[in-house]
Amino acid sequence: SVSESQKPLCVYFVSAHDHNGAILGNQLYYYHHYKIQGLQKHFAVAPKLVSSQDEMKDFMASVRERHAGREIKFVDVVTHGGKSSLEIHAPGQPSITAERLRDDLFSVTG
């Protein structure tokens, strides 16, 4: 078995904004724990409840700093959205395009 300190990293984001209970409803508490347990078979998981793209970017930077030299191999984002956008923000705020999020979170400087 690979030790936790040798596993690649997985960042698991969950949107704090859930207009219909599909992400944070009572039954979903267990879903997230079950999903994280499955991910932990292969990754060291860093979960974070977020309300903005800036929070996501800051958390990615803190994970990189805390685990310098380890690769973030997998990022899972659980949120509402559409075919080409994510809704991390509160209702009424603009959606985030998948491309903008990817470029922001995985930029060479980020």
Side-chain angles (χ1 to χ4, degrees):
S1 157
V2 178
S3 77
E4 205 57 27
S5 65
Q6 295 175 319
K7 290 180 181 177
L9 299 169
C10 166
V11 177
Y12 185 80
F13 289 117
V14 177
S15 174
H17 300 287
D18 181 21
H19 65 276
N20 64 4
I23 297 170
L24 299 172
N26 290 337
Q27 73 281 8
L28 277 295
Y29 173 84
Y30 299 102
Y31 167 79
H32 292 295
H33 281 278
Y34 177 77
K35 191 169 179 184
I36 288 170
Q37 282 181 335
L39 289 167
Q40 286 173 330
K41 293 175 185 173
H42 307 285
F43 303 100
V45 180
K48 179 73 174 165
L49 188 66
V50 292
S51 297
S52 71
Q53 185 171 349
D54 287 340
E55 283 183 27
M56 295 172 81
K57 188 173 181 176
D58 290 346
F59 188 69
M60 290 285 286
S62 73
V63 169
R64 283 188 189 105
E65 183 179 316
R66 205 175 25 216
H67 302 284
R70 286 178 64 194
E71 181 181 13
I72 297 174
K73 188 85 169 179
F74 186 78
V75 175
D76 194 346
V77 181
V78 182
T79 184
H80 292 288
K83 183 177 178 181
S84 62
S85 65
L86 303 174
E87 295 176 11
I88 301 293
H89 302 289
Q93 297 289 323
S95 297
I96 302 167
T97 65
E99 291 80 18
R100 191 174 129 223
L101 180 65
R102 181 197 65 231
D103 293 346
D104 195 24
L105 293 183
F106 298 102
S107 68
V108 176
T109 60

